[in-house]
Amino acid sequence: MGPSPMAARAAGGCSSAALALFGFRPLRRAVRPAAAFCWGQYPPYGGCRSRLAHSLVDSVLDELRSRRRVRVSAKIGLQGTKELSDNKIDKRALQKGLLLEFQKDSDRSLLAVVERPDGKKNWMVTDQNGILSSIKPQQVTYVVPGVMNFDASRIDEFLEKAQDLLDPTVLECAWMELSENDKSITVEEFAEIVYGNKESLESYCAHFLLSRDIVYFVKVESRDYSIYQPRSPPQVEELLRRKRAKEEAEKELEEFVHLLKSAKALPMESKPPKSSWFVDEKVGQKIEALQAYAVDACSDEQRRLAGNILKAMGFTRTSSAALKLLINVGYFPVHVNLDLFKYDVRITYTEEVLSAAEELLVDRPDSDMHIRKDLSTLKVYAIDVDEADELDDALSAIRLPDGRIKVWIHVADPTCLIKPRSIIDREAMHRGTSIFLPTATFPMFPERLAMNAMSLQQGKQCKSVSVSVTLHPDGSIAEYTLENSVIKPTYMLTYESATELLYMNLKEEEELRILQEAASIRAQWRRSQGSIDTAMIEPRIKVSNPDDPEPNINLYVEDQANPAMQLVSEMMILCGEAVAAFGAANNLPLPYRGHPQSNTAVSAFSHVPDGPARSFANISVLRAAEMDFQKPVPHGVLGIPGYVQFTSPIRRYVDLLAHYQVKAFLRGDSPPYSAGDLEGMTFIASMHVKVARRLHSNSLRYWLLEYLRRQPKGRKYKALILKFVKDRMAALLLVEAKLTWDKNTCYGLRSWYIRE
């Protein structure tokens, strides 16, 4: 049997470039026929250089349709079932020995031989993999015509023969001829035109080509036959464009998966650096999709792309699988903080912001220089935690001739550099606060500004805003002033070193002892005004080399009952009260912070032992804080008539807002912001502050658990019960004393929920 005219012309007329696009492999057992060829790799239409004579196509179609009119006039049966291929399948159309194609699942169609009925509707068949199964009539997609009593063992042989006839390029040639006259075609007509006959093998191949085609023909159901209609040229052009884009995407995915597998196989010390994944833009987009998927913060397109990558890598489509993969390839360290990505935390600055910061460092303007008071002769103590990078407050004190104490709270003056509504100011507002984590610090301002130009520095002339307060003997405020100043910090102390100086009671450090005395009488006065003790013992953790699989974890305690910490805390509260009073006296809009008294009297917890347990009880009944931007509101927890956060303008944006307002008043200018402006900006900053607190809390908890995980199994711990929650669950204060880790003595204490 020679080739049909269409087949001959297709072979000679379709471009060699088009034919070369198609790769084939034999259809064997367990191979999915639908995926056995490179479907979708269609050449651009127009590849057929020679054209079939229209009279030839028309004559073949006319003859075939004439025959069909005769056939369909008689009842369809299985006798002489050469014409069964395209008929609607029902129970009566199937019988033992028929060769058919059925839909195994959404991805696979298999050839099978009918064995016997299975109940009233289903049939038992043996498929090309030798598996006997029951199928429904609706699963049958094609009955191969002209085949009776077919042996299932010969399916492989049948598929091997079909291999030589399955050339997808003939689809384009047939489409070009048929689309010009908008002629539809059946499977048997296609077989007759392409192969020269419509025997069982040729008809099956025609069905295979047409049913898998998604570019040139579209299936149109008729009453008795499946008819294929040629698509319009614009449709074909668009579908070819989509297919080429899909093929390109699949190729890129394959190459990316290869990169992932290569990186995954490398030892930890040889993993590619994170930056290398962004050298190629498309690779960077894929790694970002995996990252977004890992933190459940991805777009629909990123979700689809990440899912395909995970599937290709053999991972389940879950966020934990994406995280594991990114760790395996070295993109993330083992102890990655996903919250940074989940909450889209700003950990870097744009070039525009950095450039603006550099300009300020060069010019260093100071519009307040002419009204600054020289306080550089005062002894100034800056006391903060050991790892503090931004030093924004310091203290001085003297005893007046009348015996009263006068203290100064000196606060760094970033507003001498930063102007309201500037690019750096807006950046700070959208950060809200500096973020302090066990592994890193992310300052609110660019680092060179925050830690150098703005920060107080030992032994150097520093611009500041100084709040001076003279105290009555009972600790209440007698007088206060706010002024621009220049100071020269004498000491930079940690809380531990400041406490040691206090215990040493050195005559040379009389000013420090005066500060301690001032703090003591202030604490007594606040208690007399109904303040509530909320001091707790909190853990602090510092993690060095956090990118290592086993980093060094330093655990220690921040005891708010520490004398130096109490001293600083009292002075900061005093400053806030004085600024609130200054704002009220001058009708100045400020972010006034208040806290209503609890509905539960403090005396209700008098039976609870003093210390962490009572503080925990007091905290548990506190009401929500209040804000006002026109006048002070009482702060019942602190026991003062008003309060403004003022002492951390480098670290907190709300403090910076207060500085803008106060500094403008001191210059004799109108405040830059109205009460309404302050409220809006405070709200924006507060949203970011909440995220920062959540980040800190989650990170602290993670590293505490990691620290405890490393302790010997079965170790016992001392704990203080703070509160019974319900049933057998209690809130505990876990006390870790004299635990050594990485040659450092560490002290930890942690609030914990645990079941007995």
Side-chain angles (χ1 to χ4, degrees), residues 367-392:
S367 58
D368 301 312
M369 184 55 71
H370 65 288
I371 57 172
R372 288 194 184 278
K373 186 174 183 179
D374 186 2
L375 299 177
S376 59
T377 58
L378 289 174
K379 183 177 284 188
V380 178
Y381 299 88
I383 306 172
D384 211 326
V385 293
D386 184 34
E387 67 272 17
D389 296 312
E390 308 160 344
L391 295 173
D392 46 16

Short mmCIF file of all heavy atoms in Angstrom, two decimals, residues 367-392:
data_model
loop_
_atom_site.label_atom_id
_atom_site.label_comp_id
_atom_site.label_asym_id
_atom_site.label_seq_id
_atom_site.Cartn_x
_atom_site.Cartn_y
_atom_site.Cartn_z
N SER A 367 20.32 74.41 62.17
CA SER A 367 19.62 75.70 62.22
C SER A 367 19.45 76.20 63.64
O SER A 367 19.01 77.34 63.85
CB SER A 367 18.25 75.57 61.54
OG SER A 367 17.48 74.56 62.17
N ASP A 368 19.78 75.37 64.64
CA ASP A 368 19.57 75.76 66.04
C ASP A 368 20.87 76.13 66.75
O ASP A 368 20.88 76.33 67.96
CB ASP A 368 18.90 74.62 66.81
CG ASP A 368 17.57 74.23 66.23
OD1 ASP A 368 16.76 75.14 65.96
OD2 ASP A 368 17.34 73.03 66.00
N MET A 369 21.98 76.21 66.01
CA MET A 369 23.27 76.45 66.66
C MET A 369 23.28 77.74 67.48
O MET A 369 23.86 77.80 68.57
CB MET A 369 24.38 76.49 65.60
CG MET A 369 25.78 76.65 66.18
SD MET A 369 26.20 75.35 67.40
CE MET A 369 26.35 73.94 66.30
N HIS A 370 22.59 78.77 66.99
CA HIS A 370 22.62 80.07 67.68
C HIS A 370 21.85 80.07 68.99
O HIS A 370 21.99 81.01 69.80
CB HIS A 370 22.07 81.16 66.75
CG HIS A 370 20.63 80.97 66.39
ND1 HIS A 370 20.18 79.97 65.54
CD2 HIS A 370 19.52 81.66 66.79
CE1 HIS A 370 18.87 80.07 65.42
NE2 HIS A 370 18.44 81.07 66.17
N ILE A 371 21.01 79.06 69.22
CA ILE A 371 20.24 79.04 70.47
C ILE A 371 20.62 77.83 71.33
O ILE A 371 19.90 77.48 72.27
CB ILE A 371 18.72 79.03 70.19
CG1 ILE A 371 18.32 77.84 69.29
CG2 ILE A 371 18.27 80.33 69.57
CD1 ILE A 371 16.82 77.68 69.15
N ARG A 372 21.73 77.18 71.01
CA ARG A 372 22.15 76.04 71.83
C ARG A 372 22.90 76.52 73.08
O ARG A 372 23.75 77.41 73.01
CB ARG A 372 23.05 75.10 71.03
CG ARG A 372 22.32 74.31 69.98
CD ARG A 372 23.15 73.16 69.43
NE ARG A 372 22.41 72.52 68.35
CZ ARG A 372 21.46 71.61 68.53
NH1 ARG A 372 21.13 71.23 69.77
NH2 ARG A 372 20.85 71.09 67.49
N LYS A 373 22.57 75.90 74.20
CA LYS A 373 23.24 76.22 75.46
C LYS A 373 24.40 75.26 75.66
O LYS A 373 24.27 74.05 75.47
CB LYS A 373 22.25 76.09 76.62
CG LYS A 373 22.83 76.54 77.95
CD LYS A 373 21.75 76.54 79.03
CE LYS A 373 22.30 77.06 80.35
NZ LYS A 373 21.26 77.10 81.41
N ASP A 374 25.52 75.79 76.05
CA ASP A 374 26.71 74.97 76.25
C ASP A 374 26.65 74.30 77.62
O ASP A 374 26.80 74.94 78.66
CB ASP A 374 27.97 75.84 76.13
CG ASP A 374 29.25 75.01 76.20
OD1 ASP A 374 29.14 73.76 76.31
OD2 ASP A 374 30.33 75.60 76.14
N LEU A 375 26.41 72.99 77.62
CA LEU A 375 26.39 72.21 78.86
C LEU A 375 27.54 71.20 78.89
O LEU A 375 27.48 70.19 79.60
CB LEU A 375 25.05 71.46 78.98
CG LEU A 375 23.78 72.33 79.06
CD1 LEU A 375 22.53 71.44 79.11
CD2 LEU A 375 23.83 73.26 80.26
N SER A 376 28.57 71.50 78.14
CA SER A 376 29.67 70.54 78.00
C SER A 376 30.50 70.40 79.28
O SER A 376 31.32 69.47 79.38
CB SER A 376 30.58 70.95 76.83
OG SER A 376 31.11 72.25 77.04
N THR A 377 30.30 71.29 80.25
CA THR A 377 31.05 71.17 81.50
C THR A 377 30.41 70.19 82.48
O THR A 377 31.03 69.82 83.48
CB THR A 377 31.16 72.56 82.17
OG1 THR A 377 29.85 73.07 82.41
CG2 THR A 377 31.94 73.52 81.28
N LEU A 378 29.18 69.80 82.22
CA LEU A 378 28.51 68.83 83.10
C LEU A 378 29.11 67.44 82.93
O LEU A 378 29.54 67.05 81.84
CB LEU A 378 27.01 68.76 82.77
CG LEU A 378 26.14 69.96 83.15
CD1 LEU A 378 24.72 69.76 82.60
CD2 LEU A 378 26.11 70.16 84.66
N LYS A 379 29.13 66.69 84.03
CA LYS A 379 29.49 65.28 83.93
C LYS A 379 28.27 64.54 83.40
O LYS A 379 27.18 64.63 83.97
CB LYS A 379 29.91 64.71 85.28
CG LYS A 379 30.38 63.26 85.20
CD LYS A 379 30.85 62.73 86.55
CE LYS A 379 32.21 63.27 86.90
NZ LYS A 379 32.78 62.62 88.11
N VAL A 380 28.47 63.81 82.32
CA VAL A 380 27.34 63.19 81.61
C VAL A 380 27.54 61.67 81.57
O VAL A 380 28.59 61.19 81.11
CB VAL A 380 27.22 63.75 80.17
CG1 VAL A 380 26.08 63.06 79.43
CG2 VAL A 380 27.01 65.26 80.20
N TYR A 381 26.51 60.95 82.02
CA TYR A 381 26.53 59.48 82.01
C TYR A 381 25.56 58.97 80.95
O TYR A 381 24.36 59.27 80.99
CB TYR A 381 26.09 58.92 83.37
CG TYR A 381 26.96 59.32 84.53
CD1 TYR A 381 26.72 60.50 85.23
CD2 TYR A 381 28.02 58.51 84.95
CE1 TYR A 381 27.50 60.88 86.31
CE2 TYR A 381 28.81 58.88 86.03
CZ TYR A 381 28.55 60.06 86.71
OH TYR A 381 29.32 60.42 87.78
N ALA A 382 26.08 58.21 80.00
CA ALA A 382 25.23 57.51 79.03
C ALA A 382 25.21 56.04 79.42
O ALA A 382 26.26 55.38 79.42
CB ALA A 382 25.76 57.68 77.61
N ILE A 383 24.04 55.53 79.79
CA ILE A 383 23.92 54.16 80.30
C ILE A 383 22.95 53.39 79.40
O ILE A 383 21.82 53.82 79.19
CB ILE A 383 23.41 54.15 81.75
CG1 ILE A 383 24.30 55.04 82.63
CG2 ILE A 383 23.38 52.73 82.29
CD1 ILE A 383 23.75 55.24 84.04
N ASP A 384 23.41 52.26 78.89
CA ASP A 384 22.55 51.46 78.01
C ASP A 384 23.01 50.02 78.03
O ASP A 384 24.00 49.68 78.71
CB ASP A 384 22.59 52.02 76.57
CG ASP A 384 21.27 51.81 75.83
OD1 ASP A 384 20.62 50.78 76.08
OD2 ASP A 384 20.90 52.67 75.01
N VAL A 385 22.33 49.16 77.28
CA VAL A 385 22.71 47.75 77.21
C VAL A 385 24.05 47.63 76.50
O VAL A 385 24.46 48.52 75.74
CB VAL A 385 21.64 46.91 76.47
CG1 VAL A 385 20.36 46.86 77.27
CG2 VAL A 385 21.39 47.46 75.07
N ASP A 386 24.71 46.52 76.71
CA ASP A 386 26.07 46.33 76.21
C ASP A 386 26.16 46.44 74.69
O ASP A 386 27.11 47.00 74.15
CB ASP A 386 26.58 44.96 76.68
CG ASP A 386 28.03 44.75 76.29
OD1 ASP A 386 28.78 45.73 76.27
OD2 ASP A 386 28.41 43.61 75.98
N GLU A 387 25.14 45.90 73.99
CA GLU A 387 25.21 45.84 72.53
C GLU A 387 24.58 47.06 71.85
O GLU A 387 24.39 47.07 70.63
CB GLU A 387 24.52 44.57 72.01
CG GLU A 387 23.02 44.51 72.21
CD GLU A 387 22.64 43.91 73.55
OE1 GLU A 387 23.51 43.86 74.44
OE2 GLU A 387 21.49 43.48 73.70
N ALA A 388 24.25 48.10 72.61
CA ALA A 388 23.59 49.27 72.03
C ALA A 388 24.49 49.93 70.99
O ALA A 388 25.66 50.20 71.24
CB ALA A 388 23.21 50.26 73.11
N ASP A 389 23.93 50.18 69.82
CA ASP A 389 24.65 50.89 68.76
C ASP A 389 24.20 52.33 68.64
O ASP A 389 24.94 53.18 68.15
CB ASP A 389 24.44 50.18 67.42
CG ASP A 389 25.01 48.77 67.43
OD1 ASP A 389 26.15 48.61 67.86
OD2 ASP A 389 24.29 47.83 67.01
N GLU A 390 22.94 52.59 69.03
CA GLU A 390 22.38 53.94 68.94
C GLU A 390 22.24 54.50 70.35
O GLU A 390 21.37 54.06 71.10
CB GLU A 390 21.00 53.89 68.26
CG GLU A 390 21.00 53.15 66.93
CD GLU A 390 19.59 52.71 66.54
OE1 GLU A 390 18.71 52.71 67.41
OE2 GLU A 390 19.40 52.35 65.37
N LEU A 391 23.08 55.42 70.73
CA LEU A 391 23.01 56.02 72.06
C LEU A 391 22.27 57.35 71.95
O LEU A 391 22.80 58.31 71.40
CB LEU A 391 24.42 56.23 72.63
CG LEU A 391 25.20 54.93 72.89
CD1 LEU A 391 26.62 55.24 73.30
CD2 LEU A 391 24.50 54.10 73.96
N ASP A 392 21.04 57.38 72.44
CA ASP A 392 20.24 58.59 72.24
C ASP A 392 19.83 59.28 73.53
O ASP A 392 19.04 60.22 73.50
CB ASP A 392 18.99 58.30 71.40
CG ASP A 392 18.26 57.05 71.84
OD1 ASP A 392 18.51 56.58 72.95
OD2 ASP A 392 17.43 56.57 71.06
#
